[in-house]
Amino acid sequence: MITTLTATTTERIVSALVEEEGVSGGSHVLTLIIDTNTAGLEDALAAAHGASRDHPCRIIAVVRPDTENDDVNDAATGPRSRDGHVPSDLPGHLDAEIRVGHDAGAGETLVLRPWGEAAEHVDTLVVPLLLPDVPVVTWWPTAPPDRPSTDPLGKLASTRITNTPALSDPVMALKALAPSFTRGDIDLAWTRITLWRAMVASTLDPVLRDGTARGIVVAGEPGNASIALMIRWLALRTGVAIEQIDVPGFSGIASITVSTLTGDIVIARMDQERATITRPGGEAPQVVTMPRREPITTMNEELRRLTPDLVFEEVLASFAAECCTSHAPDRTGS
């Protein structure tokens, strides 16, 4: 069920919540704030609702005004009102939706649409709606702020999730976020490679212990942020040279090949659900289960963790240092 409130207040939203059955928050384990735009709202809610089945939560989605269409909105319905029920001389207001039942996952969902001046201080709209005594997570499913930890909605959270794979240039977006990393930040580009890292660690452990690894080649999608993080993680863990090969038209990691003294070890994606491991010696490749990670799966993992990922912190620090070195000005005079 969806209840729509036009030109409302947080007090009215809280009152409406109290009137709904099963929204007391007693069984909720967290509050999830989603900072998004209209285009990204429903996809983000679908992922959040799916993850909430395992992590019951109150979801508060803040939908930013469509600045590209401000003139159209002003001319048609007054100051950015969706339905025209707001006086044209009002400098700003808040529209909201309360979604419960099958429209809200395992909890309730609040969709806030601030317009005009109401959009200038969205944190003050969210604070009265936070559940007491449970963690707060803020997620940017589309464009993140320059520094998530100092963003008004980011300040409310102990965990801040960004999603560079959803952007037009994921690697550049990751580079932009890396220098401002604060403990508690995480990006879904890292979460996407959890299974790959586990597979690589278990497969390569023998050759890394005996020192027979000579080089690694990572092949896959050009401009993929997860591949960029995988390369930095491999460099830190193995200490051998890493080469990247682009595979146009492929999505994600296609294969990881490790050169050893006795031949190559190859971990390659077979299809959406499986991968193969080929070892030296001519034996048939081993087929293992490794499903591609969907948005619900990655959100599920991060909502389960809710603690700083120290390995990601180490990898991103190395990534940031590499970026700074590669962009440092030439001071040699050459």
Side-chain angles (χ1 to χ4, degrees), residues 31-48:
T31 301
L32 175 62
I33 303 171
I34 303 175
D35 189 352
T36 186
N37 54 27
T38 301
L41 174 64
E42 295 305 329
D43 285 345
L45 288 182

Side-chain angles (χ1 to χ4, degrees), residues 15-324:
S15 296
L17 277 172
V18 171
E19 295 175 3
E20 301 289 347
E21 294 182 357
V23 296
S24 64
S27 62
H28 294 52
V29 298
L30 59 94
T31 301
L32 175 62
I33 303 171
I34 303 175
D35 189 352
T36 186
N37 54 27
T38 301
L41 174 64
E42 295 305 329
D43 285 345
L45 288 182
H49 290 162
S52 75
R53 306 292 181 188
D54 291 327
H55 313 282
C57 59
R58 172 172 292 176
I59 299 169
I60 305 173
V62 179
V63 184
R64 301 289 184 166
D66 185 357
T67 55
E68 294 181 359
N69 294 323
D70 275 353
D71 293 340
V72 174
N73 292 331
D74 288 345
T77 63
R80 306 174 178 84
S81 171
R82 275 200 309 155
D83 53 18
H85 292 171
V86 178
S88 60
D89 59 349
L90 195 68
H93 72 281
L94 173 65
D95 291 342
E97 295 173 7
I98 300 174
R99 304 186 184 188
V100 296
H102 72 276
D103 293 302
E108 65 276 356
T109 295
L110 310 178
V111 179
L112 307 183
R113 301 179 187 271
W115 305 95
E117 291 183 0
E120 296 176 3
H121 304 285
V122 292
D123 53 327
T124 62
L125 303 176
V126 170
V127 167
L129 306 174
L130 299 178
L131 291 169
D133 304 321
V134 295
V136 177
V137 178
T138 298
W139 177 34
W140 293 270
T142 52
D146 293 337
R147 189 181 181 94
S149 62
T150 60
D151 178 83
L153 295 181
K155 287 181 178 180
L156 301 176
S158 57
T159 299
R160 296 163 295 275
I161 305 173
T162 52
N163 187 28
T164 56
L167 305 180
S168 58
D169 191 340
V171 175
M172 186 59 67
L174 194 62
K175 288 180 179 179
L177 286 171
S180 65
F181 173 85
T182 302
R183 186 164 291 184
D185 294 353
I186 195 71
D187 190 88
L188 294 184
W190 176 251
T191 320
R192 285 187 174 195
I193 57 173
T194 297
L195 298 181
W196 268 103
R197 290 187 290 115
M199 188 75 66
V200 168
S202 62
T203 304
L204 299 189
D205 182 63
V207 298
L208 293 179
R209 280 191 284 106
D210 62 23
T212 59
R214 291 296 177 263
I216 300 176
V217 176
V218 180
E221 179 182 3
N224 184 289
S226 295
I227 291 178
L229 291 172
M230 173 63 80
I231 289 172
R232 294 310 309 158
W233 176 74
L234 285 169
L236 288 171
R237 291 294 177 266
T238 66
V240 303
I242 314 292
E243 180 185 355
Q244 180 176 352
I245 296 179
D246 290 341
V247 182
F250 198 88
S251 177
I253 299 174
S255 65
I256 296 177
T257 302
V258 183
S259 299
T260 74
L261 295 178
T262 58
D264 291 346
I265 300 173
V266 182
I267 307 172
R269 179 158 288 288
M270 183 178 180
D271 53 33
Q272 297 288 332
E273 298 293 329
R274 298 172 297 173
T276 60
I277 302 174
T278 305
R279 294 181 173 85
E283 295 182 5
Q286 176 187 0
V287 179
V288 294
T289 300
M290 191 169 67
R292 285 194 182 277
R293 312 210 76 193
E294 300 298 331
I296 291 175
T297 308
T298 55
M299 281 301 295
N300 222 334
E301 179 176 328
E302 292 308 329
L303 296 184
R304 181 171 61 250
R305 188 199 321 271
L306 293 186
T307 55
D309 189 322
L310 301 184
V311 178
F312 175 70
E313 180 176 349
E314 178 187 11
V315 171
L316 200 63
S318 174
F319 187 78
E322 179 188 44
C323 294
C324 291

